[in-house]
Amino acid sequence: LLQNNTHISYYSRTNSLGAISVEMGVGQPHGLYIAHWYDYSGGNSYRAYNSIQIGPNTGVTNTAALFQANRINSTTAILYRNTTAAFTDTISSSGLSSVSIYVGSYNGTSGRSARECAYASIGQGMTPTEQSNHYTAVQAFNTALSRQV
């Protein structure tokens, strides 16, 4: 992975607001994770992309979707929900994690997700067109398996 050109994605089949969980990543101080952390009172989302934690922000009202955290350069990161940019963040990257990225939690034991994972990926950052094509391919794959949301 590159510090300023990377993505991680997680296709959740479970709509579960109000539960604190991390779908994929590495926790602070490492700073690369796709996180849908909800506090119990406000449904707030927290996230980071090779940077400090960002949030809280509201707006994600259904967690059954393909979420993709996408670092596209040294100052811009985008969290997509399916094909929509749910959050665009202007935040400088502070370094690339040297530890493992986990699916279903961060750091292996913390913030374990109870959401069902139907797909996950890690790779280079994507343009908006590439991200849309990625969603289309993942949705077709899950539709073929009768597990799309």
Side-chain angles (χ1 to χ4, degrees):
L1 297 176
L2 301 174
Q3 179 175 333
N4 298 314
N5 180 12
T6 191
H7 88 272
I8 56 177
S9 71
Y10 186 95
Y11 190 97
S12 168
R13 293 193 62 225
T14 309
N15 182 23
S16 155
L17 294 173
I20 296 174
S21 69
V22 176
E23 275 48 73
M24 187 172 181
V26 205
Q28 301 263 349
H30 311 292
L32 173 63
Y33 58 83
I34 181 169
H36 304 288
W37 292 13
Y38 292 95
D39 68 25
Y40 293 104
S41 60
N44 293 321
S45 172
Y46 299 85
R47 60 211 173 275
Y49 326 78
N50 295 339
S51 63
I52 61 169
Q53 179 176 294
I54 303 165
N57 296 103
T58 58
V60 175
T61 58
N62 186 330
T63 62
L66 174 66
F67 288 93
Q68 180 177 290
N70 196 22
R71 165 67 73 180
I72 59 173
N73 58 42
S74 64
T75 59
T76 306
I78 302 170
L79 176 67
Y80 288 93
R81 182 187 180 280
N82 294 331
T83 58
T84 302
F87 304 104
T88 300
D89 299 298
T90 303
I91 185 164
S92 295
S93 62
S94 57
L96 184 62
S97 175
S98 62
V99 298
S100 298
I101 297 171
Y102 292 87
V103 176
S105 72
Y106 68 91
N107 296 342
T109 59
S110 303
R112 288 189 176 161
S113 178
R115 297 184 183 108
E116 182 181 352
C117 178
Y119 173 86
S121 67
I122 303 170
Q124 290 183 317
M126 297 185 197
T127 66
T129 298
E130 290 169 331
Q131 190 283 327
S132 181
N133 292 341
H134 180 234
Y135 167 77
T136 299
V138 170
Q139 191 68 355
F141 171 72
N142 280 299
T143 299
L145 297 174
S146 300
R147 62 182 193 190
Q148 77 282 358
V149 295

